[in-house]
């Protein structure tokens, strides 16, 4: 049974208390892993709560629990959105840069609470910082780590490790990934793969644009029409029915579901205005030994949400022992693998192994087959 997390607020653009941070676990003055999680569409704070509490709970007297913070995109928490709606959250949504800064502020608050609880300054706390993300949160996570590395003034808390769940972005543009992957067989997306991942994004972005520029009513109508065309008539769903139940729970509040589509609108907005700089930053860190990555993904989908070159790079890192990076493929899981059936056990085990720097491959199906 889940325990109630500590709930804190932090400022977001236009709302001094609009950001929400749930904290699980007890801080320790000794060495401790601090984890900050940020999910994506269409999730608030609840879906990851079970895994967050599991990671925060000590397994035995020799293994301390982690200090885990959970946040989400501004306006994605159902309770706060229904209470404040457009008075507390911008009707135009939030840019990726704004969300990245929100995650930075959540990290600052998490470390402040940890330091306060152990009667020490943030600089003196013996902690390692892991940033864990899912879905659109992964885009922000990639931007966050690269800004933390390249702009020292951006944050005082640079992640030591990264855990990406089901979404993995591009290789770093300055890396020599082409040379490193020469001779490797890398899956090339088919036209249907591209259609599966592009069609719903266009539908969601268009629906949000109707909300932003016309009205909420028109946005709801556009969302209903385009979703019917894409998912039911054309059958262009990147997910399988396995993930359908999770999505249905979110659609119970269609107005909130519509608002949470703003990342799709922001994505096309950046593309159409010719400013792709945000996507250049949304890449793997250049030095994977300094910042190793654990990538866990569910294979039970009609299309994958990762860059196959990045998967191949991480597998090469693991295979040749170049870093602690590794790839874990879950054959019987979908997009929300961390809360499906028995997979929370697998996710928890793999994350704990990664935090300890254990490169040993588990007996389960953990090697990615492209």
């Amino acid at each position: 049974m889940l325990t109630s997390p500590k709930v804190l607020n932090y400022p977001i653009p236009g709302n001094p208390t609009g950001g929400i941070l749930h904290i699980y676990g007890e801080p320790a003055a000794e060495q401790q892993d601090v984890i900050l999680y940020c999910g994506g569409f269409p999730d608030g704070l609840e879906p990851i709560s079970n895994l967050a509490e599991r990671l925060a709970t000590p397994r035995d007297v020799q293994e301390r629990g982690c200090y885990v913070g959970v946040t989400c995109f501004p306006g994605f928490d159902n309770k706060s959105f229904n209470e404040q709606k457009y008075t507390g959250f911008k009707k135009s949504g939030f840019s990726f840069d704004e969300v990245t800064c929100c995650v930075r502020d959540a990290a600052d608050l998490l470390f402040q609470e940890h330091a306060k609880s152990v009667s020490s300054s943030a600089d003196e706390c013996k902690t390692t910082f892991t940033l864990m993300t899912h879905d659109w949160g992964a885009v922000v996570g990639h931007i966050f780590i690269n800004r933390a590395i390249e702009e020292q003034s951006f944050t005082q808390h640079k992640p030591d490790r990264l855990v990406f769940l089901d979404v993995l972005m591009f290789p770093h543009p300055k890396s020599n990934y082409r040379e490193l992957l020469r001779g490797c067989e890398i899956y090339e997306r088919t036209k249907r793969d591209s259609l599966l991942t592009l069609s719903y994004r266009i539908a969601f972005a268009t629906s949000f644009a109707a909300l932003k520029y016309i009205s909420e009513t028109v946005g709801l109508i556009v969302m209903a029409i385009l979703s019917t065309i894409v998912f039911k008539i054309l059958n262009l769903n990147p997910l399988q029915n396995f993930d359908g139940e999770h999505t249905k729970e979110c659609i119970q509040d269609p107005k909130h579901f519509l608002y949470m589509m703003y990342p799709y609108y922001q994505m096309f907005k950046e593309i159409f205005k010719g400013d792709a700089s945000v996507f250049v930053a949304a890449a793997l860190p250049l030095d994977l030994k300094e910042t190793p990555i654990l990538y866990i993904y569910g294979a039970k989908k009609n299309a994958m949400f990762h860059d196959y070159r990045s998967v191949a790079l991480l597998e090469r890192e693991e295979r040749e022992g170049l870093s602690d990076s590794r790839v874990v493929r879950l054959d019987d899981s979908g997009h929300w693998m961390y809360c499906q059936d028995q997979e929370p056990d697998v996710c928890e085990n793999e994350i704990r192994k990664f935090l300890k720097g254990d490169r040993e491959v588990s007996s389960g199906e953990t090697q990615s087959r492209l």
Side-chain angles (χ1 to χ4, degrees):
M1 183 176 180
L2 289 174
T3 58
S4 298
K6 185 175 185 178
V7 181
L8 300 171
N9 294 91
Y10 60 90
I12 63 173
N15 188 339
T17 59
I20 304 177
L21 178 68
H22 284 187
I23 298 180
Y24 297 83
E26 298 297 328
E30 302 85 5
Q31 183 73 29
Q32 187 175 31
D33 291 300
V34 175
I35 301 174
L36 176 64
Y37 171 84
C38 180
F41 179 85
D43 294 334
L45 303 162
E46 290 77 18
I48 198 70
S49 57
N50 180 271
L51 179 58
E53 182 166 352
R54 294 167 72 108
L55 291 169
T57 303
R59 280 186 165 178
D60 52 53
V61 294
Q62 295 181 334
E63 187 174 357
R64 285 181 296 276
C66 303
Y67 194 66
V68 185
V70 175
T71 191
C72 61
F73 272 52
F76 275 33
D77 176 65
N78 189 63
K79 182 175 182 293
S80 60
F81 180 79
N82 286 330
E83 290 174 350
Q84 304 178 48
K85 209 169 182 182
Y86 304 128
T87 59
F89 303 102
K90 297 192 300 181
K91 190 175 181 180
S92 59
F94 298 82
S95 69
F96 290 111
D97 180 68
E98 288 175 324
V99 178
T100 303
C101 291
C102 289
V103 173
R104 174 199 60 192
D105 294 342
D108 289 344
L109 181 58
L110 180 63
F111 275 91
Q112 287 170 15
E113 286 299 308
H114 185 278
K116 185 193 306 181
S117 300
V118 297
S119 300
S120 175
S121 70
D123 293 335
E124 294 171 347
C125 291
K126 298 177 181 179
T127 59
T128 57
F129 179 27
T130 299
L131 180 63
M132 180 166 65
T133 63
H134 176 248
D135 198 82
W136 277 111
V139 177
V140 172
H142 286 75
I143 297 173
F144 185 103
I145 184 59
N146 284 300
R147 288 194 64 179
I149 292 172
E150 297 169 9
E151 304 174 28
Q152 293 185 355
S153 61
F154 175 67
T155 179
Q156 59 179 324
H157 302 297
K158 181 179 77 66
D160 301 293
R161 304 183 188 91
L162 302 168
V163 177
F164 293 130
L165 303 177
D166 215 56
V167 174
L168 189 68
M169 301 298 285
F170 324 107
H172 196 284
K174 294 182 181 178
S175 69
N176 59 338
Y177 68 89
R178 291 185 179 86
E179 180 180 339
L180 295 174
L181 298 178
R182 185 177 294 133
C184 296
E185 290 188 14
I186 301 176
Y187 178 84
E188 292 188 11
R189 288 186 180 275
T190 65
K191 291 182 179 179
R192 180 165 179 79
D193 288 337
S194 299
L195 193 58
L196 282 169
T197 54
L198 186 61
S199 56
Y200 80 92
R201 292 171 181 170
I202 293 175
F204 290 173
T206 304
S207 300
F208 184 82
L211 161 68
K212 180 180 186 308
Y213 292 107
I214 306 177
S215 70
E216 184 177 72
T217 301
V218 174
L220 291 169
I221 294 172
V222 172
M223 178 179 71
I225 293 173
L226 293 183
S227 296
T228 300
I229 293 173
V230 170
F231 298 120
K232 295 185 178 180
I233 297 177
L234 299 179
N235 195 28
L236 293 174
N237 193 339
L239 305 179
Q240 296 184 14
N241 292 334
F242 193 69
D243 284 304
E245 291 303 316
H246 183 92
T247 307
K248 287 179 182 177
E249 292 178 8
C250 301
I251 301 179
Q252 291 179 4
D253 186 353
K255 293 180 180 179
H256 189 209
F257 191 70
L258 172 64
Y259 181 75
M260 288 188 287
M261 292 178 179
Y262 71 73
Y264 299 95
Y265 168 81
Q266 294 291 342
M267 177 184 74
F268 285 105
K269 177 183 176 181
E270 297 291 338
I271 293 174
F272 289 144
K273 74 178 185 180
D275 183 10
S277 58
V278 63
F279 300 111
V280 174
L284 302 185
L286 185 58
D287 189 340
L288 293 173
K289 185 173 183 179
E290 178 186 354
T291 314
I293 294 172
L294 170 63
Y295 177 52
I296 306 176
Y297 73 99
K300 206 169 183 179
K301 302 192 298 290
N302 296 322
M304 300 300 122
F305 299 129
H306 53 236
D307 187 290
Y308 288 92
R309 299 166 300 176
S310 293
V311 173
L313 278 175
L314 297 186
E315 289 187 319
R316 177 180 179 273
E317 292 283 315
E318 178 183 4
R319 184 173 58 250
E320 300 184 12
L322 302 176
S323 72
D324 290 335
S325 298
R326 44 190 313 256
V327 175
V328 176
R329 170 188 169 118
L330 302 177
D331 283 332
D332 296 325
S333 298
H335 188 50
W336 285 276
M337 83 295 290
Y338 54 83
C339 57
Q340 292 172 340
D341 297 331
Q342 300 302 313
E343 301 305 359
D345 291 328
V346 178
C347 290
E348 179 191 1
N349 292 339
E350 295 296 342
I351 292 170
R352 286 185 182 275
K353 285 170 55 180
F354 180 62
L355 295 179
K356 292 191 296 184
D358 186 356
R359 294 183 185 176
E360 181 183 355
V361 178
S362 66
S363 58
E365 189 66 45
T366 59
Q367 294 303 295
S368 170
R369 298 191 303 274
L370 301 182

